[in-house]
Amino acid sequence: MSEVESAGLDGLDGLDGQGELDGPAGLERSGGRSEASGSGASTESDTPNAPGTPEALGEPGRLREPGPREPAGDTGGETSPGAVGDGPDTATPEPAPRRGGVDPVKTLMHRHRELCERAVDPLEIAAGLEAHGVTDRTAARFRHRDVFSLAEEMYARVPRDGDAPTEREPVPSAPGARGGWAVLALLPGALCAAAVAGVRLTDGQPRLMAAALGALAVAVGIRVALGRGPLRAPSGTTGRTRVWTCWLIAYALLGDGLLAAGLDGGGLHGLWPFATAPVLALALSCAPATWCAHLLSARARRKLAVSRGLAEFTDSVQPLILGVFALHLCALATLLTVCGVVLDEPAGYAGAGALGALLLLARLLTVHGFPHAPAAALRTAALVEVLAPATVFASRLPGCSFLAVPVQTVADAWGPGAVPALVCGTAALVLLIHATRTLTRASAHALPSGAT
């Protein structure tokens, strides 16, 4: 072999190595040299899947992994390096982005953009997702163990200013934001005690005026006390229940006496005896009810902060709800006993206790964002209590004596006070079951009371 041919072959070997390192640039230099050198370069390019050839390139600048031998007809002959990826007969083009490449968490954040932007902590996002039906099983599809973990990632992705507060700031309606609500909770009981004293110390027309002014003062006191603190309900949710609540309290004051008079054959003329002890106890129980609501809200949010799953939070909050409910019943029973002894009147444990339980549960459900069931329960209880004395007096009509049979049977067995006890007790039991299913949700305790 001549020295010229040896030098030409050595030059081709050097270009092959450079083509492997430099990618398409090396191929261009190799292609130009092989056209000048003739048959030697064509022998190199005919080698299938040889390094530096177009068949070995998946995309410009990167070598493709060696694969099975492709048919010779697929290449369509010798291909120039500049035509790599330009036609259907060349190397495989870059695949389109797969659908699985879309970030699912980003899509979820876009769907709940307003929730993510206004949230001040991950718990609020978790509660909002849970309110929209997102469960731990749904979070697993986003590769998170539970809703809380998913909410933490969504909260971390939301862009915020560097000086944004990292902790929730107390708002006026939040429990503990201001200490005034604890004092205002005593206002209804104090006004009711003054009204009862005015009624018992007067007689005749002044007594009626004292009773009317006392009722008005107590109503204003209750409105002020419930307008702040843990029992503050969202605006627009209490209008439908205010009338029924007033009727239930009025029946606790006058209903038993009216029903007893009707069953004994009396008429509607004259005044019936006031049951002041149960009403005074109910007014005084506004304070322990407010404190129990604050205890429920504070403990529930604390459990929400440490829980790592919706099921875990539900299991921990359900005993808390029952415990707070039992605590309020004990406080109400104590107040009924004290008021009965001081005023020397029947305490009315059954009727007043059932009414106090009903009012507490209705208020808690309304405060935490579930006003429909309390409205229905209060309306039903009030209508039944209206029908009870109405059927007694309607039974005096000819041929209508059967109308008083249900009320007469209950009153003969347990007394007139059993009617409101059965009515309010049944409604309270329904609301208690409803509360153990709704107040155990994270969304019920995500926001401060009164802000839900």
Side-chain angles (χ1 to χ4, degrees):
M1 182 181 297
S2 64
E3 294 181 0
V4 176
E5 291 175 350
S6 299
L9 292 176
D10 293 337
L12 287 176
D13 292 339
L15 288 176
D16 288 340
Q18 187 177 2
E20 291 178 12
L21 296 176
D22 296 339
L27 287 176
E28 293 176 1
R29 291 190 297 268
S30 176
R33 184 67 179 267
S34 53
E35 288 178 2
S37 51
S39 61
S42 63
T43 304
E44 291 285 335
S45 62
D46 290 340
T47 304
N49 294 335
T53 59
E55 290 80 3
L57 296 175
E59 55 184 357
R62 187 171 63 186
L63 295 179
R64 189 176 64 182
E65 294 293 333
R69 183 182 181 94
E70 297 177 356
D74 292 344
T75 60
E78 186 178 13
T79 306
S80 61
V84 176
D86 294 338
D89 295 335
T90 60
T92 305
E94 181 180 359
R98 294 180 301 176
R99 191 175 184 85
V102 179
D103 188 357
V105 178
K106 186 176 181 180
T107 304
L108 186 65
M109 291 180 62
H110 179 73
R111 186 180 306 169
H112 301 282
R113 181 181 59 183
E114 184 178 355
L115 172 64
C116 296
E117 290 177 351
R118 73 166 185 263
V120 295
D121 55 29
L123 298 180
E124 188 171 344
I125 297 180
L129 293 177
E130 191 260 355
H132 285 84
V134 178
T135 62
D136 291 341
R137 180 177 298 180
T138 308
R141 296 204 298 265
F142 293 92
R143 297 182 179 180
H144 285 273
R145 63 182 180 274
D146 50 44
V147 176
F148 294 99
S149 176
L150 176 60
E152 288 175 354
E153 180 179 349
M154 295 173 65
Y155 180 78
R157 289 193 182 191
V158 176
R160 291 178 175 83
D161 298 333
D163 55 350
T166 58
E167 297 181 357
R168 180 185 296 272
E169 296 181 356
V171 296
S173 60
R178 296 180 183 176
W181 62 263
V183 178
L184 289 178
L186 300 172
L187 185 60
L191 293 176
C192 188
V196 170
V199 170
R200 293 175 70 90
L201 294 177
T202 57
D203 196 5
Q205 188 174 1
R207 186 180 186 185
L208 293 177
M209 294 180 60
L213 292 177
L216 180 61
V218 171
V220 173
I222 293 176
R223 184 179 181 89
V224 172
L226 299 183
R228 295 175 58 186
L231 288 181
R232 179 184 178 182
S235 59
T237 58
T238 58
R240 69 185 77 177
T241 61
R242 187 175 295 118
V243 175
W244 309 117
T245 303
C246 292
W247 171 257
L248 291 173
I249 297 176
Y251 188 92
L253 180 65
L254 302 171
D256 290 346
L258 175 62
L259 186 60
L263 293 174
D264 293 339
L268 295 176
H269 59 278
L271 292 177
W272 311 284
F274 291 169
T276 54
V279 174
L280 177 59
L282 288 172
L284 292 172
S285 68
C286 184
T290 305
W291 299 333
C292 288
H294 172 67
L295 177 64
L296 173 63
S297 179
R299 293 292 181 88
R301 288 186 60 79
R302 189 176 304 171
K303 292 180 180 297
L304 181 62
V306 299
S307 298
R308 300 310 306 168
L310 298 178
E312 179 184 349
F313 177 74
T314 299
D315 295 339
S316 62
V317 171
Q318 195 168 24
L320 176 62
I321 296 173
L322 297 177
V324 168
F325 178 71
L327 180 62
H328 177 260
L329 288 183
C330 292
L332 180 57
T334 303
L335 292 173
L336 286 170
T337 302
V338 173
C339 292
V341 172
V342 171
L343 299 178
D344 194 18
E345 292 182 5
Y349 292 102
L355 178 57
L358 174 60
L359 294 179
L360 174 67
L361 292 172
R363 193 69 183 188
L364 286 177
L365 288 169
T366 303
V367 166
H368 290 280
F370 305 96
H372 302 292
L378 293 174
R379 179 173 59 250
T380 302
L383 291 177
V384 173
E385 288 190 351
V386 169
L387 290 176
T391 55
V392 171
F393 288 100
S395 65
R396 299 179 181 181
L397 299 174
C400 298
S401 59
F402 66 93
L403 294 177
V405 173
V407 178
Q408 184 73 49
T409 303
V410 173
D412 291 342
W414 299 292
V419 174
L422 288 177
V423 173
C424 296
T426 303
L429 180 61
V430 172
L431 288 187
L432 180 61
I433 297 174
H434 183 63
T436 56
R437 297 172 60 88
T438 55
L439 296 185
T440 54
R441 300 178 183 176
S443 56
H445 306 277
L447 298 176
S449 296
T452 54

